[in-house]
Amino acid sequence: MLAAHDLEARRGRRVLFSHLSLSAAPGQLLRVLGANGSGKTTLLRMLVGLTLPAAGAVHWNGRPIAADRDAFHRDLVYLGHAAALKDDLSARENLQSLMAIGGTACDAAQADGALAAAGLAGRERLPARVLSAGQRRRVALARLALAGQQRLWVLDEPFNALDVSAVEWLAGLLGAHLGRGGIVALTSHQPLPLDEDDAVVVRL
């Protein structure tokens, strides 16, 4: 269970949101909606502990996420708005690096399989600097195909810059994760190719 209680976010003297509470149970999608500048990314960063709230707290499985950060991070995959790739590393090397940062070993064969599933077969050895924005995004998202035990996925605009086939691939990954009892928290400006009947929607 992911829960937040009475969160408040400030940017300088401006209050982005306050008294914000939410919860998402296993198998639920948490969708954050709002205009640019409303605090969507700030909220996601609070949910993963990268930004401290001005008030309130975030809990994972009934405990504050600060109580045992190592255990929380073992359950977490966080992908920000930017692909965050290193230009001089290949697609394969970038994916392996992302996996290592997340605490999971990933050999070349595993990385190549995930990249192929993301539509990047034949581009595994290309440096990231020559990839298009959509291809760079798919390299980062390929990490989800290898996220075995992490139950909480927090994704900032994951469908941005993706073509139709990549959108279908990503929707399949997210749907399968929710079907296994995982939790997905995300922002998106576009309609989602997912069943949102049971989604938790937060509007900022």
Side-chain angles (χ1 to χ4, degrees):
M1 174 74 77
L2 174 69
H5 308 281
D6 290 323
L7 293 183
E8 180 177 305
R10 293 177 175 270
R11 184 174 296 153
R13 295 183 178 181
R14 178 189 170 201
V15 176
L16 296 177
F17 53 80
S18 62
H19 304 294
L20 175 63
S21 296
L22 59 87
S23 64
Q28 276 193 311
L29 170 70
L30 169 64
R31 185 174 185 188
V32 181
L33 300 174
N36 289 338
S38 62
K40 299 188 300 298
T41 294
T42 298
L43 175 57
L44 292 192
R45 289 175 60 84
M46 284 183 180
L47 294 180
V48 301
L50 292 176
T51 295
L52 293 178
V58 177
H59 289 74
W60 176 244
N61 293 332
R63 301 185 66 197
I65 59 174
D68 190 345
R69 289 191 178 275
D70 289 342
F72 175 62
H73 288 155
R74 284 194 295 271
D75 273 341
L76 171 69
V77 175
Y78 171 67
L79 296 177
H81 189 271
L85 305 184
K86 295 183 178 180
D87 285 344
D88 292 335
L89 295 183
S90 68
R92 175 197 295 161
E93 291 166 336
N94 268 292
L95 179 54
Q96 289 179 298
S97 177
L98 290 171
M99 294 299 296
I101 291 170
T104 303
C106 173
D107 62 29
Q110 290 173 311
D112 288 353
L115 292 169
L120 295 171
R123 296 176 173 84
E124 301 90 347
R125 297 184 181 183
L126 292 178
R129 64 175 176 273
V130 307
L131 300 177
S132 68
Q135 290 169 340
R136 291 171 65 93
R137 191 66 175 161
R138 279 183 276 170
V139 172
L141 290 167
R143 181 180 170 193
L144 299 177
L146 300 170
Q149 301 302 315
Q150 291 93 340
R151 292 177 290 165
L152 175 61
W153 294 0
V154 180
L155 315 172
D156 196 352
E157 296 290 348
F159 290 96
N160 271 11
L162 298 184
D163 60 19
V164 173
S165 62
V167 167
E168 293 176 352
W169 162 75
L170 176 56
L173 286 179
L174 299 184
H177 183 63
L178 293 170
R180 293 190 297 268
I183 297 173
V184 176
L186 60 76
T187 61
S188 179
H189 284 99
Q190 60 201 77
L192 298 181
L194 295 167
D195 181 4
E196 296 189 67
D197 290 342
D198 192 39
V200 177
V201 178
V202 176
R203 299 181 186 275
L204 300 179

